[in-house]
Amino acid sequence: MAVKAYDLTGRTAFVTGAASGIGRACAVLLAQAGATVHGADRDAQGLHETATLIKDQGGTARTHHLDVTDHGQVRRAVASCERLDVMAAVAGIMHSSPVLETRDEDLDRVLAVNFKGVLYACQEAARLMLARDNGGSIITMASGAVDIGGPGLLCYGAAKAAVVQLTKTLATEVGRYGIRVNAVAPGWIRTPMTDRHDAGAQAHTEARMSRLSPLGRVGEPEDIAHTVLHLASDASAFTTGQILRPNGGTTMPW
Ligand SMILES: NC(=O)c1ccc[n+]([C@@H]2O[C@H](COP(=O)([O-])OP(=O)(O)OC[C@H]3O[C@@H](n4cnc5c(N)ncnc54)[C@H](O)[C@@H]3O)[C@@H](O)[C@H]2O)c1
């Protein structure tokens, strides 16, 4: 018998970054839990593949081909949902450059996608949840980068730190309306974002990351999707303003 607290039947979820990696895994798992899933991404082909995966398993999926940095596109896509119970703002990009070589345009681009894109999704989701007065769960995608420094992490880490601040601030502002807001800060997860495009380099990186974890392995997109499902569902009804860290224990000094 399934655990009822994780049942999303009758609920609607919106997932940005749904065309690939963690976003796709979230979209598929939320649909498996019973939610109608609206997937959004700038990658139309990947989005179509995710929707097909969901439909092939008997789920319900809608797609929105959009750029999360365009507030108008995000507003229209979210407003097209009849109701909204879950927003998972997952879309993001990686950028690495030393502080002294970082250009204004690098910082602007990463902040636009990884922070403003998440902000727009959160704002529009909260507005619709408030208008329908049905509460809801908003989940943002931070990163283990918020806990550690590292060479090249300036733009990416700054944007993710801003996402954490957004998460905590919004949680305090909408909690009284039954809307919960939490962040997920994954460790190293095997997705196209972390693909080194070279088998030797990939094996080397994965071996290094695995050694950092007491579990002795790197993460898979499904590991993060299960954390997102927990936050999306009634199982986390008393959890808000938190950062959950599915990272295989890599941030412990063990
Ligand atoms: N993979 C990791 O190790 C890891 C670790 C920590 C956090 N994260 C975060 O998880 C999220 C998902 O990453 P992933 O590893 O699945 O990467 P991914 O590259 O596989 O997926 C990212 C998705 O976001 C979409 N996207 C990017 N910019 C967009 C835009 N402007 N508008 C619409 N869609 C856009 C891409 O098309 C892609 O489908 C990101 O926010 C990332 O920062 C990933």
Side-chain angles (χ1 to χ4, degrees):
M1 192 174 70
V3 178
K4 209 167 177 300
Y6 287 97
D7 184 7
L8 299 182
T9 303
R11 310 232 180 134
T12 300
F14 196 105
V15 181
T16 74
S20 175
I22 293 170
R24 170 175 287 172
C26 291
V28 169
L29 190 65
L30 293 173
Q32 285 172 352
T36 293
V37 173
H38 289 250
D41 206 289
R42 64 178 177 184
D43 171 2
Q45 176 60 31
L47 207 47
H48 173 72
E49 288 167 13
T50 301
T52 303
L53 271 173
I54 291 173
K55 288 173 186 169
D56 284 352
Q57 296 176 14
T60 308
R62 310 254 184 281
T63 57
H64 304 271
H65 183 214
L66 55 75
D67 187 326
V68 294
T69 66
D70 185 326
H71 198 157
Q73 288 186 12
V74 175
R75 181 183 298 123
R76 286 189 291 280
V78 174
S80 76
C81 302
E82 250 167 58
R83 59 174 284 150
L84 192 62
D85 303 281
V86 177
M87 166 59 80
V90 180
I93 54 171
M94 172 47 86
H95 172 82
S96 176
S97 60
V99 173
L100 300 189
E101 288 165 27
T102 297
R103 304 168 306 167
D104 276 6
E105 51 265 43
D106 298 330
L107 186 58
D108 290 348
R109 178 73 193 146
V110 178
L111 286 175
V113 178
N114 290 6
F115 175 55
K116 284 187 176 178
V118 175
L119 172 63
Y120 301 152
C122 289
Q123 287 175 320
E124 298 312 320
R127 285 193 179 114
L128 183 55
M129 289 169 181
L130 289 170
R132 295 282 185 275
D133 198 21
N134 56 230
S137 171
I138 297 175
I139 301 142
T140 61
M141 201 51 59
S143 163
V146 301
D147 295 319
I148 53 163
L153 278 180
L154 172 70
C155 298
Y156 184 79
K160 295 299 188 183
V163 165
V164 167
Q165 185 58 36
L166 161 67
T167 305
K168 291 178 179 175
T169 302
L170 186 59
T172 65
E173 294 176 356
V174 297
R176 81 189 79 152
Y177 305 106
I179 301 172
R180 299 183 294 106
V181 191
N182 292 285
V184 178
W188 199 94
I189 310 299
R190 189 185 284 144
T191 71
M193 181 180 279
T194 50
D195 190 343
R196 304 278 307 269
H197 303 293
D198 172 301
Q202 187 74 15
H204 178 76
T205 303
E206 294 196 6
R208 194 164 69 84
M209 293 301 165
S210 299
R211 278 197 300 275
L212 292 175
S213 166
L215 300 177
R217 69 172 178 89
V218 298
E220 300 292 344
E222 291 71 23
D223 291 316
I224 308 309
H226 279 91
T227 302
V228 168
L229 172 61
H230 173 70
L231 290 173
S233 74
D234 294 345
S236 60
F238 198 48
T239 303
T240 197
Q242 302 303 307
I243 310 171
L244 265 61
R245 294 175 167 81
N247 59 21
T250 47
T251 48
M252 289 192 294
W254 69 298

